[in-house]
Amino acid sequence: MATARLVYIAPWWTYWLHNFPHINITFQSVDNTFRPGEANYQQSLVLLACVGAVGLGLCLLPLAAYLSCLCCCRREEEEETKRPEACCATWAAVITGLIICSAVGVGFYGNSETNDGVYQLTYSLYNANHTLSGIDNLVAGSLGGMEVGMKQHLQRLDEIFATRTDYIQALHFMQQMTDNVVRQLTGLPDLSKTRVDLAAIADRTASIEYYRWLTYLLLLILDLVICLVTCLGVAKQSRWLLTTIMVLGVLSLIMSWMSLGAGTATAVGTSDFCVSPDKFIANQTKDFLSAGKLSQQVAHYYLYCSPSLHNPFQQSLTVFQRSLTTMQIQVQGLLQFSLPVFPTAERDLLGIQRLLNATEFNLHQLTALLDCRGLHKDYLDALMGVCYDGVEGLLYLCLFSLLAASAFCAMLCAIPRAWSLITNRDRDYDDIDEEDPFNPQARRIAYNPSRPHIHSFCSYSSSLGSQTSLQPPPQAATNIIPSTEYMNQSMLFGGNPRYENVPLIGRGSPPPSYSPSMRTTYLSMTDAQIRHFGTDFQV
């Protein structure tokens, strides 16, 4: 583990973020050392978060001015000027859509990286908490066995060996060794507070990360939906879709700037910690480690974990081991010499032997857990997760927020122009005469089943035959036929309901000529069909 400490080197982006100006609410410079408990440092991070609000204001003011000018300074445009502006609006929508798609891709990557870093942090915290919990349980178990179990066995043996002073002296010596073991165990740092703190930090961090990840995921999906709806609205030239895009675009613009501010403050604060994490951790451990020189030695031992460093628990563990060995020797002697005289002492002596064996097993486990390599590895893994993956993911999320905010600002400028172009197009369509026979819209209006009556034909002349050859027997004249008969006539003369095959009525345009198929069909009509159609074909 000589090079274990060299594994962690703060990345360059943490130094770059660490050098960001730290200013409190009175606009005075603040030390950039990571001190989350101090008010001035908290104020500096809040001001960094307000950068998003400032950017939102600077974005909304020009946007509001542009929309005001677009609404108040509307002018009549010539046909030549409409086409280039329509092309510009279309290209602006396409470019903003591409930027949003790129930003969404960057956001997904940054969200995943941040989540991976926080997951590695929480995993390391839980693992370290498990190690500390094991140490605490071993110490508590050993103390309970030596203080309660050993005391009971020694009291009963003292009664049994009351007539033998030499055996009583051996029991007193074992009691001294037991007190020595208890003293060494109680001299170890109380790690129960650390275990609770790490568990609470891990749980709170995991909960906050879940909601952060979910919020960014919903924001990314919203931006992607807006991009798709924008393409659909521009393609269909739908005004209600463009209205929906405007509302969602303003909402996403606000959320993008807010996420940019929050991400910037979080990245700067985390970078302040990553630049010098050892100092902050050493200050935090003063509350629960033993006071004085031992506290500094313990913190330094686990933070750096170098073979050249002395284990601060080595002396206590050595005394613990020697005391257990001495008691094992004393028990073996008593089992060998006292049992022939005091056979009733066998049960307590064997109980002491089992207790010493269990305590020695706990000692070996405790020695392994107190070694710096396990906790130091968890410490390095946590730093790697936070300072590499975590901060890098936050930078990508800030880039996503900035790209999305810029794209939505451009989109909000382009959509009103597209709206006006669609409005002008609809106005031009409204100016077309509905009675114009060459207007496709008039044909759709003519074929409306809800209309009760349609005027019948009046004058039918053909360039391929005389009028007398086309005259059916005279019938009662009628000027109105049902719409079903009108469609039957169109099917009769053309085979399909196309209104180009039937003459026009009273519209000032020359009547069309009958085709040879129409003439043949008419001449092949039976008397019943002629009586059914009446004088509609009469010229």
Side-chain angles (χ1 to χ4, degrees), residues 356-464:
L356 292 176
N357 291 334
T359 305
E360 188 175 8
F361 179 75
N362 292 339
L363 174 62
H364 294 314
Q365 287 186 315
L366 185 62
T367 303
L369 292 177
L370 287 175
D371 188 80
C372 66
R373 288 173 292 183
L375 289 176
H376 184 69
K377 181 181 181 301
D378 295 331
Y379 174 62
L380 291 181
D381 290 341
L383 288 180
M384 295 292 291
V386 172
C387 302
Y388 278 83
D389 294 340
V391 178
E392 182 183 8
L394 288 175
L395 288 177
Y396 280 110
L397 289 177
C398 291
L399 179 60
F400 150 72
S401 301
L402 185 60
L403 290 176
S406 303
F408 282 118
C409 186
M411 180 182 292
L412 293 176
C413 292
I415 288 178
R417 190 57 196 156
W419 174 282
S420 63
L421 293 174
I422 295 175
T423 304
N424 293 335
R425 183 203 64 176
D426 294 340
R427 189 186 302 114
D428 294 338
Y429 276 120
D430 293 338
D431 293 339
I432 298 176
D433 186 9
E434 293 183 358
E435 299 297 330
D436 188 356
F438 300 101
N439 179 14
Q441 187 176 1
R443 299 175 186 173
R444 295 192 296 269
I445 296 175
Y447 179 55
N448 189 358
S450 63
R451 300 182 66 176
H453 299 290
I454 301 177
H455 292 289
S456 61
F457 306 125
C458 295
S459 175
Y460 309 104
S461 62
S462 174
S463 60
L464 299 179

Side-chain angles (χ1 to χ4, degrees), residues 189-202:
D190 184 11
L191 302 177
S192 59
K193 186 176 183 300
T194 310
R195 180 166 53 87
V196 173
D197 287 345
L198 289 180
I201 292 173

Side-chain angles (χ1 to χ4, degrees), residues 220-451:
L220 291 168
I221 294 175
L222 176 63
D223 292 350
L224 192 59
V225 169
I226 292 175
C227 181
L228 296 178
V229 174
T230 301
C231 297
L232 182 61
V234 173
K236 294 179 66 66
Q237 296 185 350
S238 173
R239 285 183 289 182
W240 73 269
L241 282 178
L242 294 181
T243 304
T244 305
I245 294 170
M246 286 286 291
V247 176
L248 295 179
V250 173
L251 177 62
S252 185
L253 179 65
I254 295 174
M255 295 180 65
S256 297
W257 282 110
M258 290 176 59
S259 64
L260 178 62
T264 301
T266 306
V268 171
T270 308
S271 298
D272 293 340
F273 167 77
C274 292
V275 168
S276 181
D278 299 338
K279 182 178 180 181
F280 175 76
I281 297 297
N283 292 331
Q284 292 297 114
T285 55
K286 291 180 180 179
D287 297 333
F288 56 87
L289 291 178
S290 299
K293 185 177 181 181
L294 180 60
S295 173
Q296 299 177 358
Q297 291 179 352
V298 171
H300 195 267
Y301 174 68
Y302 285 109
L303 290 176
Y304 295 94
C305 192
S306 173
S308 60
L309 295 176
H310 175 69
N311 188 347
F313 307 112
Q314 186 63 44
Q315 183 177 358
S316 298
L317 295 175
T318 301
V319 174
F320 190 0
Q321 177 66 48
R322 290 176 179 175
S323 300
L324 290 178
T325 303
T326 302
M327 284 190 289
Q328 288 280 14
I329 296 173
Q330 293 294 327
V331 170
Q332 288 292 338
L334 290 175
L335 285 172
Q336 182 178 1
F337 298 104
S338 67
L339 287 183
V341 182
F342 303 99
T344 56
E346 181 179 6
R347 178 173 173 270
D348 289 311
L349 290 175
L350 292 177
I352 293 176
Q353 191 176 40
R354 287 192 297 268
L355 180 60
L356 292 176
N357 291 334
T359 305
E360 188 175 8
F361 179 75
N362 292 339
L363 174 62
H364 294 314
Q365 287 186 315
L366 185 62
T367 303
L369 292 177
L370 287 175
D371 188 80
C372 66
R373 288 173 292 183
L375 289 176
H376 184 69
K377 181 181 181 301
D378 295 331
Y379 174 62
L380 291 181
D381 290 341
L383 288 180
M384 295 292 291
V386 172
C387 302
Y388 278 83
D389 294 340
V391 178
E392 182 183 8
L394 288 175
L395 288 177
Y396 280 110
L397 289 177
C398 291
L399 179 60
F400 150 72
S401 301
L402 185 60
L403 290 176
S406 303
F408 282 118
C409 186
M411 180 182 292
L412 293 176
C413 292
I415 288 178
R417 190 57 196 156
W419 174 282
S420 63
L421 293 174
I422 295 175
T423 304
N424 293 335
R425 183 203 64 176
D426 294 340
R427 189 186 302 114
D428 294 338
Y429 276 120
D430 293 338
D431 293 339
I432 298 176
D433 186 9
E434 293 183 358
E435 299 297 330
D436 188 356
F438 300 101
N439 179 14
Q441 187 176 1
R443 299 175 186 173
R444 295 192 296 269
I445 296 175
Y447 179 55
N448 189 358
S450 63
R451 300 182 66 176

Side-chain angles (χ1 to χ4, degrees), residues 496-518:
N496 52 16
R498 293 187 57 178
Y499 297 97
E500 291 86 348
N501 296 331
V502 294
L504 303 176
I505 305 170
R507 298 184 181 178
S509 59
S513 300
Y514 290 132
S515 64
S517 62
M518 295 170 64

Side-chain angles (χ1 to χ4, degrees), residues 121-133 191-207:
L121 169 65
T122 55
Y123 179 80
S124 300
L125 289 176
Y126 283 127
N127 197 16
N129 183 72
H130 179 72
T131 301
L132 296 176
S133 176
L191 302 177
S192 59
K193 186 176 183 300
T194 310
R195 180 166 53 87
V196 173
D197 287 345
L198 289 180
I201 292 173
D203 292 338
R204 186 166 57 251
T205 303
S207 177

